[in-house]
Amino acid sequence: MKKLNICNDQFNYHKIQLSEYWRDTLIEVVYVSTKIFDLLNEYYVNDSHATHDPHIEHGAFLLGDYSRTESGQYDITIDHLILVEAEEQSITNIQFGSAAWLKLDNALEDNPGSKIVGWFHTHPGHGIFLSRDDLNVSYTYFNKPYQIALLLDNQISLKNNQLELGIFSFKENGEINNY
Ligand SMILES: [Zn+2]
């Protein structure tokens, strides 16, 4: 997808007009909490965390909320990024295991009213697109019309000194946008 244009004109949220990137998208606007961008910048651009291995994929659940637009699409907010130890992490694959799903349950309990609006994972240098395994994760676990896949290439982010992100939403026909 083309480079995300992230405006900071909404209080506490970065606004991403998804319909600028995908011709056919069930989600019109994604509002990402500035806290999440701060966290991602700290983690993946400033690289101040010595504890994470930048060469394997990282995963997270995205919690927030959604609303219907007048045209029948969705706007979503992403308020919480629940980073997890994914069970099978490798350079090009990620799977959420039982410990991850338990952490999600706890996060939902801690944030009453929050909904699962998608998932996040990193690609260590291989670019912004959904692999066959990624598509399986989306179609199996995050297949509601208001759910997205948020992707970050951490190696390219580090190299370019800015977040390199993609947001993948569903189309009208239930397929997920890709590339
Ligand atoms: Zn992937």
Side-chain angles (χ1 to χ4, degrees), residues 57 92-94 119 121-123 126 129-131 134 151:
E57 294 196 355
T92 58
N93 187 26
I94 192 156
W119 67 296
H121 78 294
T122 60
H123 278 178
H126 53 283
F129 67 96
L130 297 176
S131 68
D134 297 339
L151 187 59

